[in-house]
Amino acid sequence: MKQIPWLLVILAALIGLTCVPAEADILYNTLGSGNSYQCCIGWTVSGPSSIPGWITSANQFTALESASVSEIDLALGNIAGSVTDAMVSLWTDDGGIPGVVLGSWDVSNLPVFGTCCTVVTITGLGGPVLTIGNNYFLVIAAAGDTWDAWNLNSQGVNGTGLFSLDGGSTWVSEHDTVMGGAVIIGKSQSVTPEPTTFIMMGTGLLGAVYRRRKLL
């Protein structure tokens, strides 16, 4: 009978653990309070048939946590073009330029550039996994006659900005880079065991206690 209270404690603990939600982490953030940013200054992102020509923009950042990316929020607005879309991708850092693509996503129906403060949100990414202290690049591209702009942040956060005139084959440093683009790089979810894992753990513990009681 002395074992019963312990069984209840074990079961209560296991049930409680299955109800603990995962905590959200910010891997990188340059957006201000209320997702604010500089409304009317940004890096050009445009397609090959746009008015400014083909320009792809990239910003380097350092991951603050080791976790998988599940969301990206960024200040991106449309200036002109028949299509208001963009292509967002995460890359590794290869000696200060984008290296290998870790994931890419299309976004559409962008807000009008020059307004504040509506962010473009990409959710349900399910990765990729970033490592704390490592550098990465967020790259934004466009197709056709699309002409977008990636707003600068209003927090005074400096960043390495690059642009490409050939779709990302070669990269050039922004000569007037003062502040990086306004963005939250992923609200990742910390890893928590699945409920089935706890059930299996509980089954094992109960079995061990039962065997001990039979032996006694």
Side-chain angles (χ1 to χ4, degrees), residues 5 30 41 46 68 99 102-103 113 120 132 136 155 160 170 175 179 183 185 189 193:
T30 60
I41 305 176
S46 50
S68 61
L102 299 175
F113 177 73
V120 176
I132 185 172
Y136 299 90
Q155 307 306 301
T160 298
T170 56
H175 297 294
M179 288 178 285
V183 64
I185 300 293
Q189 298 298 321

Side-chain angles (χ1 to χ4, degrees), residues 58-119:
N59 255 10
Q60 185 189 62
F61 69 96
T62 303
L64 301 180
E65 300 285 345
S66 293
S68 61
V69 177
S70 63
E71 182 174 324
I72 296 176
D73 304 301
L74 70 157
L76 187 64
N78 178 255
I79 300 173
S82 60
V83 181
T84 58
D85 64 357
M87 290 162 282
V88 179
S89 55
L90 279 173
W91 299 57
T92 61
D93 183 306
D94 183 12
I97 62 173
V100 177
V101 179
L102 299 175
S104 60
W105 311 272
D106 293 330
V107 293
S108 58
N109 299 319
L110 303 182
V112 176
F113 177 73
T115 59
C116 184
C117 293
T118 301
V119 298

Side-chain angles (χ1 to χ4, degrees), residues 185-205:
I185 300 293
K187 296 178 180 177
S188 66
Q189 298 298 321
S190 57
V191 179
T192 55
E194 294 290 333
T196 52
T197 302
F198 286 116
I199 293 172
M200 293 175 64
M201 290 170 57
T203 303
L205 287 171

Side-chain angles (χ1 to χ4, degrees), residues 145-166:
D145 65 348
T146 300
W147 183 7
D148 299 327
W150 186 2
N151 296 72
L152 299 187
N153 74 82
S154 58
Q155 307 306 301
V157 179
N158 294 323
T160 298
L162 306 175
F163 71 90
S164 174
L165 302 178
D166 56 11

